[in-house]
Amino acid sequence: MNRSMPVTVAAILTFLSSAFSVVFSIPVLARGAQAVSETNDTPPYFIMLLGLILGVLGIVAAWGLWRNQRWGKILTIAVIALGGLSALPGKIIAPATTLWIAATITVVIDILIIVLVLLPNRSPAAARA
């Protein structure tokens, strides 16, 4: 593989972020929309459902990124950008401090992943060419 170090780090971060999103979303979604709307300790049901979908797509994107596939880079950027945009309202109107902190961390990690994916390829194989 001619995968650069930034792309490797981006693939790992994408996988970890996406896996966390899936693991965190499933128990919350299992409680149902009514139970989620009655508490202040979780994002709205729609955001949790979106997090689950983007988490699964993110795991697929991380695999494509790990294999240094062009579609993996494109899917990673799209999924991570959507995830970051869905977390932005939490920075403004989060009802709990923990949700505000989680939204902030999510946005920062998502920006980092996109920057790492977009960095020029400086892998050792590219340097020899």
Side-chain angles (χ1 to χ4, degrees), residues 61-108:
W63 180 72
L65 198 57
W66 184 260
R67 295 185 37 105
N68 206 29
Q69 300 290 313
R70 180 173 162 80
W71 64 264
K73 290 181 180 184
I74 293 168
L75 185 59
T76 298
I77 292 170
V79 168
I80 294 300
L82 285 173
L85 288 174
S86 71
L88 271 178
K91 298 256 317 128
I92 301 166
I93 57 171
T97 304
T98 54
L99 293 178
W100 184 87
I101 292 169
T104 302
I105 291 170
T106 299
V107 170
V108 169

Side-chain angles (χ1 to χ4, degrees), residues 2-4 6-8 10-11 14 60-81 113-114 116-123:
N2 293 334
R3 185 178 55 243
S4 66
V7 171
T8 302
T14 300
V60 173
W63 180 72
L65 198 57
W66 184 260
R67 295 185 37 105
N68 206 29
Q69 300 290 313
R70 180 173 162 80
W71 64 264
K73 290 181 180 184
I74 293 168
L75 185 59
T76 298
I77 292 170
V79 168
I80 294 300
I113 290 170
I114 291 172
L116 289 171
V117 170
L118 292 176
L119 283 174
N121 186 6
R122 301 202 191 273
S123 65

Side-chain angles (χ1 to χ4, degrees), residues 29-78:
L29 291 172
R31 293 191 325 215
Q34 184 66 28
V36 171
S37 67
E38 293 173 354
T39 64
N40 259 357
D41 63 340
T42 60
Y45 191 80
F46 170 75
I47 296 298
M48 296 304 299
L49 185 59
L50 182 63
L52 177 65
I53 293 166
L54 291 176
V56 171
L57 287 173
I59 291 170
V60 173
W63 180 72
L65 198 57
W66 184 260
R67 295 185 37 105
N68 206 29
Q69 300 290 313
R70 180 173 162 80
W71 64 264
K73 290 181 180 184
I74 293 168
L75 185 59
T76 298
I77 292 170

